[in-house]
C-alpha cells in the first residue's frame, strides 16, 4: 500500500471511530474543514507512527493546512 | 444614605464605561452592553440563592453572570460537557436552589426545571457572590473550586479602560482560562468575541477578524489548529497569548513567524492556583529568576521538583470534603514538574502522570480502572505520549493474564470498552502488550514523569 493510500485509509478509519463525518478527501481539502478535529488528527499521527514508522513532525516542518500538505509531509520522509 | 461601591461584575463593567460599541457576541447572537443596562426588569427571586447556570452556548451564561453576580449567594458555572448523570450530585454539593438558563445545557439534559435568564442588571448588587468553577481534570465527578470575583479578577492589571480592545478566545468562558478573558474584556472596558461549539476554525477566525479582534488567546493546541487552518491571515491581533498547556519552542517560533510584530505571551495558570506568571520573551519555560523573586504577582516555589504558587488569585477551597487546595504556607502545588536548564526552568510533565490532551487533563488511574474491568487484563498502565497536534495523547500498556486470548482481540475489546465508558480524549490512542509493569511498594503502578 502506498503512503498516500495508507494515510487516506487511516483518516477514514479514525474519523469513523470518532463518529466524525468526513468531507470527500481531496488534496485541496483543508484539514480544518475536513470534519476531523484535533483529537482525530492526533490519533491519525500516532497511528501512522505505529503502523508505518513515520514521524515527519520530528523535524519541525511547517504545519500542514490541506490533506495534500499532510500526505506530502509523510511522502517526504518515507 | 451613603452608597456602597458596587463591586459586582455588572457594577465594574458599567464603571469601565458603557460605550455604544461594547458587546459580547457568539456566532448566533450578540449582547449589546448598553442594551443590557436598559433591560432591568422586575427584581429576580434569585437573591441570596445558590444558582446553577446551564446553557449550551456561552453567551446566555455570560448574560446570567452579569445579572446574578452581587445578587445570588453563589453561581455555579456549568460547562456544557458536564455529564447529565453528574448534574444531581453537583447540585447537591453546591446546595443549588435554582437553575437559570436558556433551556439547554447539562441541567436541561438531566431534566431539571429552569428559570429564564434576567434580561438586565438586578438592583442591590451587594452580595459577595461565590463563583464555583469545575476543575479540569479529576477522576470521576469533577471537583468544584470556590472563587470570588475578587480572586478571579486578581490577575488583571489595573489601568485605564480601553474600550477599543476586542478580546477573543478559543476557550469556554465557563472554565478558568476562558473566564479570565471574559473578565479582562468586561472589567477592562472592551468587548469579547466568543467561540461556538461546532464552528470550524476558519469560520471562527473570519468572524473574529470581522469583529476587529485585537487580543486572541488559547492553548498551544488551539494555536496549532489556527496555523493548520490556513486562515490565520483572517485575524490581525496585537496580542497573542497561550496557556493551559506547556508552550513548546516550536509553537512559539511558529506563532512569531505567523504574527510578526505581535506580542506573543505564554502564561501559567490553573483553576486552583489562578494565574501564576507570564513569559514575554518568546522562549519556552520561565526564567529561574522568577522563583522567590519579590514584586511578582504570585510567589513561586519549587518543592521536590514541582511548581508551587501562592497569591491572592488562588481559589479559596474545594467545595465539600474533597481535599485541601493549598499547603500550610498557602502555596498550591500545581503538580507540574520543572527541570532547570541553565537560567531557565522548563516544564517536564506532571508528577502524577496526568496527561494534558490539548488542555483537557486525563488522570491515568481513571483510564486504568476502566481497562482493568476486562477479564484478560492483569494490570494496565496509562501514560502520556507526545503529539505534535494536541501536545500529548493517552497511551496504554497492559500485562495480560496467562490464559488470555490473542492480544489483537483483547486490544479491540479494550478500545471498545474505553470508548463506551470514557470521553474520546481519554481513550488510549495506542495499547501495547508488555510482560511486566513496575509496581511501587505502595501497590500503585509507578509513574515515571509523563
Amino acid at each position: 500500500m502506498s503512503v498516500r493510500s495508507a494515510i487516506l485509509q487511516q483518516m477514514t478509519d479514525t474519523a469513523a471511530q470518532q463518529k466524525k463525518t468526513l468531507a470527500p478527501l481531496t488534496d485541496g481539502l483543508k484539514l480544518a474543514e475536513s470534519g476531523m478535529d484535533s483529537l482525530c488528527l492526533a490519533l491519525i499521527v500516532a497511528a501512522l507512527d505505529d503502523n508505518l514508522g513515520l514521524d515527519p513532525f520530528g523535524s519541525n516542518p511547517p504545519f500542514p493546512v490541506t490533506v495534500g500538505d499532510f500526505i506530502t509531509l509523510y511522502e517526504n520522509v518515507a | 444614605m451613603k452608597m456602597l461601591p458596587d463591586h459586582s461584575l455588572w457594577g465594574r463593567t458599567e464603571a469601565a464605561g458603557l460605550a455604544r460599541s461594547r458587546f459580547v457576541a457568539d456566532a448566533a447572537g450578540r449582547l449589546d452592553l448598553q442594551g443590557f443596562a436598559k433591560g432591568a426588569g422586575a427584581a429576580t427571586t434569585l437573591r441570596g440563592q445558590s444558582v446553577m447556570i446551564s446553557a449550551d452556548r456561552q453567551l446566555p451564561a455570560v448574560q446570567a453572570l452579569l445579572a446574578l453576580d452581587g445578587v445570588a449567594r453563589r453561581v455555579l458555572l456549568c460547562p456544557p460537557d458536564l455529564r447529565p448523570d453528574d448534574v444531581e450530585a453537583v447540585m447537591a454539593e453546591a446546595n443549588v436552589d435554582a437553575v437559570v438558563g436558556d433551556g439547554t445545557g447539562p441541567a436541561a439534559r438531566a431534566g431539571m426545571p429552569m428559570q429564564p435568564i434576567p434580561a438586565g442588571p438586578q438592583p442591590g448588587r451587594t452580595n459577595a457572590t461565590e463563583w464555583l468553577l469545575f476543575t479540569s481534570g479529576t477522576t470521576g465527578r469533577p471537583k468544584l473550586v470556590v472563587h470570588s470575583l475578587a480572586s478571579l479578577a486578581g490577575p488583571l492589571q489595573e489601568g485605564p479602560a480601553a474600550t477599543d480592545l476586542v478580546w477573543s478566545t478559543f476557550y469556554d468562558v465557563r472554565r478558568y482560562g476562558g473566564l479570565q478573558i471574559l473578565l479582562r474584556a468586561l472589567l477592562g472596558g472592551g468587548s469579547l468575541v466568543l467561540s461556538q461549539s461546532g464552528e470550524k476554525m476558519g469560520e471562527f477566525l473570519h468572524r473574529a477578524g470581522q469583529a476587529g479582534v485585537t487580543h486572541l488567546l488559547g492553548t498551544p493546541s488551539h494555536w496549532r489548529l489556527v496555523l493548520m487552518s490556513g486562515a490565520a491571515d483572517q485575524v490581525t491581533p496585537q496580542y497573542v497569548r497561550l496557556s493551559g498547556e506547556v508552550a513548546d519552542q516550536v509553537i512559539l517560533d511558529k506563532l512569531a513567524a505567523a504574527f510578526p510584530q505581535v506580542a506573543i505571551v505564554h502564561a501559567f495558570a490553573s483553576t486552583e492556583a489562578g494565574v501564576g506568571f507570564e513569559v514575554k520573551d518568546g522562549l519556552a519555560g520561565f526564567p529561574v529568576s522568577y522563583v522567590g523573586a519579590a514584586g511578582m504577582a504570585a510567589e513561586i516555589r519549587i518543592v521536590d521538583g514541582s511548581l508551587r504558587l501562592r497569591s491572592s488569585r488562588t481559589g479559596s477551597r474545594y467545595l465539600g470534603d474533597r481535599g485541601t487546595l493549598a499547603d500550610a504556607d498557602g502555596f498550591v502545588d500545581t503538580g507540574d514538574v520543572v527541570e532547570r536548564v541553565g537560567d531557565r526552568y522548563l516544564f517536564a510533565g506532571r508528577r502524577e502522570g496526568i496527561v494534558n490532551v490539548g488542555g483537557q487533563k486525563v488522570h491515568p488511574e481513571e483510564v486504568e480502572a476502566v481497562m482493568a474491568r476486562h477479564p484478560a487484563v492483569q494490570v494496565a498502565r496509562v501514560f502520556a505520549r507526545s503529539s505534535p497536534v494536541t501536545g500529548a495523547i493517552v497511551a496504554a500498556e497492559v500485562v495480560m493474564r496467562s490464559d488470555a486470548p490473542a492480544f489483537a482481540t483483547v486490544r479491540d475489546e479494550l478500545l471498545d470498552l474505553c470508548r463506551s465508558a470514557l470521553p474520546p480524549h481519554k481513550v488510549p490512542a495506542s495499547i501495547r502488550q508488555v510482560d511486566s509493569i513496575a509496581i511501587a511498594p505502595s501497590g500503585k503502578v509507578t509513574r515515571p514523569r509523563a
Side-chain angles (χ1 to χ4, degrees):
Chain A
M1 198 193 277
S2 69
V3 169
R4 165 178 288 271
S5 50
I7 292 172
L8 293 175
Q9 187 62 51
Q10 190 63 55
M11 286 180 169
T12 309
D13 291 351
T14 302
Q17 248 168 34
Q18 298 295 311
K19 301 189 171 60
K20 301 286 179 194
T21 309
L22 212 51
L25 294 175
T26 59
D27 277 6
L29 177 69
K30 287 185 172 172
L31 292 168
E33 290 167 12
S34 64
M36 292 184 278
D37 60 8
S38 58
L39 182 62
C40 270
L41 286 170
L43 293 173
I44 289 162
V45 170
L48 293 173
D49 187 4
D50 291 344
N51 301 339
L52 305 182
L54 298 179
D55 175 20
F57 292 92
S59 56
N60 189 14
F63 286 131
V65 171
T66 63
V67 169
D69 295 343
F70 189 88
I71 292 171
T72 304
L73 266 185
Y74 281 85
E75 286 176 339
N76 286 344
V77 296
Chain B
M1 191 177 85
K2 190 166 175 255
M3 290 289 286
L4 291 168
D6 182 354
H7 291 302
S8 71
L9 179 62
W10 175 252
R12 293 178 65 176
T13 300
E14 200 175 27
L18 287 184
R20 192 185 299 272
S21 56
R22 291 189 69 194
F23 67 90
V24 181
D26 65 9
R30 179 184 172 101
L31 181 70
D32 169 1
L33 292 179
Q34 214 177 59
F36 182 75
K38 295 173 187 155
T44 162
T45 57
L46 299 165
R47 170 167 303 283
Q49 300 210 339
S50 173
V51 182
M52 174 188 255
I53 299 173
S54 173
D56 283 330
R57 282 168 56 209
Q58 300 181 64
L59 188 58
V62 171
Q63 183 176 332
L65 275 176
L66 283 167
L68 294 175
D69 182 56
V71 175
R73 174 169 65 90
R74 213 173 235 185
V75 289
L76 168 57
L77 274 173
C78 187
D81 54 355
L82 179 70
R83 297 189 321 159
D85 291 352
D86 287 335
V87 167
E88 204 173 329
V90 164
M91 287 176 67
E93 187 162 80
N95 292 313
V96 167
D97 302 307
V99 181
V100 160
D102 65 350
T104 67
R109 284 186 280 280
M112 297 295 166
M114 204 179 283
Q115 299 185 31
I117 301 164
Q122 300 295 305
R125 298 177 292 271
T126 51
N127 272 332
T129 304
E130 287 183 333
W131 294 44
L132 305 187
L133 298 184
F134 285 88
T135 55
S136 59
T138 35
T139 52
R141 186 159 53 83
K143 283 186 193 176
L144 290 164
V145 177
V146 182
H147 273 280
S148 64
L149 182 57
S151 70
L152 291 164
L156 280 56
Q157 283 159 358
E158 297 291 335
T163 49
D164 53 344
L165 299 189
V166 182
W167 298 78
S168 186
T169 178
F170 311 100
Y171 300 124
D172 192 301
V173 298
R174 289 163 288 195
R175 293 195 181 277
Y176 187 86
L179 195 50
Q180 284 297 315
I181 320 308
L182 174 69
L183 296 180
R184 274 162 210 255
L186 291 179
L187 307 187
S191 295
L192 177 66
V193 175
L194 298 164
S195 61
Q196 184 120 351
S197 168
E199 189 176 28
K200 287 177 179 152
M201 181 58 82
E203 293 167 359
F204 170 70
L205 291 173
H206 179 72
R207 188 162 61 82
Q210 292 295 108
V213 161
T214 58
H215 289 53
L216 188 51
L217 303 88
T219 62
S221 291
H222 288 136
W223 284 109
R224 289 183 200 107
L225 277 190
V226 169
L227 297 177
M228 286 196 227
S229 72
D233 59 356
Q234 296 286 317
V235 286
T236 50
Q238 305 160 11
Y239 180 89
V240 158
R241 183 180 171 108
L242 309 86
S243 68
E245 278 178 85
V246 175
D248 58 42
Q249 199 60 50
V250 171
I251 186 65
L252 290 171
D253 290 347
K254 282 188 157 62
L255 284 173
F259 298 106
Q261 318 299 326
V262 169
I264 294 170
V265 175
H266 61 100
F268 181 92
S270 78
T271 308
E272 289 90 340
V275 176
F277 50 84
E278 296 180 336
V279 181
K280 299 177 179 172
D281 61 7
L283 298 174
F286 59 94
V288 167
S289 61
Y290 278 17
V291 178
M296 299 280 292
E299 293 172 80
I300 302 174
R301 268 186 191 172
I302 312 290
V303 179
D304 297 334
S306 86
L307 176 68
R308 293 189 184 208
L309 296 173
R310 178 169 74 178
S311 77
S312 58
R313 309 153 170 192
T314 54
S316 57
R317 63 184 196 278
Y318 288 120
L319 199 63
D321 185 18
R322 305 290 293 272
T324 51
L325 196 141
D327 67 17
D329 293 336
F331 280 82
V332 175
D333 186 354
T334 66
D336 283 276
V337 175
V338 293
E339 279 173 7
R340 185 171 175 164
V341 179
D343 60 358
R344 213 80 189 165
Y345 275 111
L346 299 178
F347 289 97
R350 300 273 312 188
R351 196 187 43 235
E352 292 157 355
I354 293 168
V355 187
N356 190 335
V357 183
Q360 294 183 285
K361 290 175 189 157
V362 181
H363 283 252
E365 296 86 350
E366 181 181 9
V367 184
E368 287 164 0
V370 171
M371 296 179 75
R373 287 187 215 157
H374 193 288
V377 170
Q378 191 173 31
V379 58
R381 184 175 84 90
V382 164
F383 52 96
R385 171 173 173 181
S386 81
S387 166
V389 186
T390 53
I393 49 172
V394 174
E397 53 191 30
V398 294
V399 178
M400 306 255 283
R401 294 194 188 281
S402 53
D403 56 351
F407 175 66
T409 311
V410 174
R411 183 186 55 205
D412 290 348
E413 289 171 359
L414 277 172
L415 287 172
D416 285 344
L417 184 63
C418 289
R419 285 184 193 122
S420 67
L422 297 166
H425 68 280
K426 294 183 179 177
V427 175
S430 54
I431 303 178
R432 282 191 312 158
Q433 182 184 7
V434 292
D435 293 333
S436 65
I437 287 173
I439 303 289
S442 65
K444 292 181 177 174
V445 170
T446 55
R447 301 203 184 283
R449 286 169 185 178

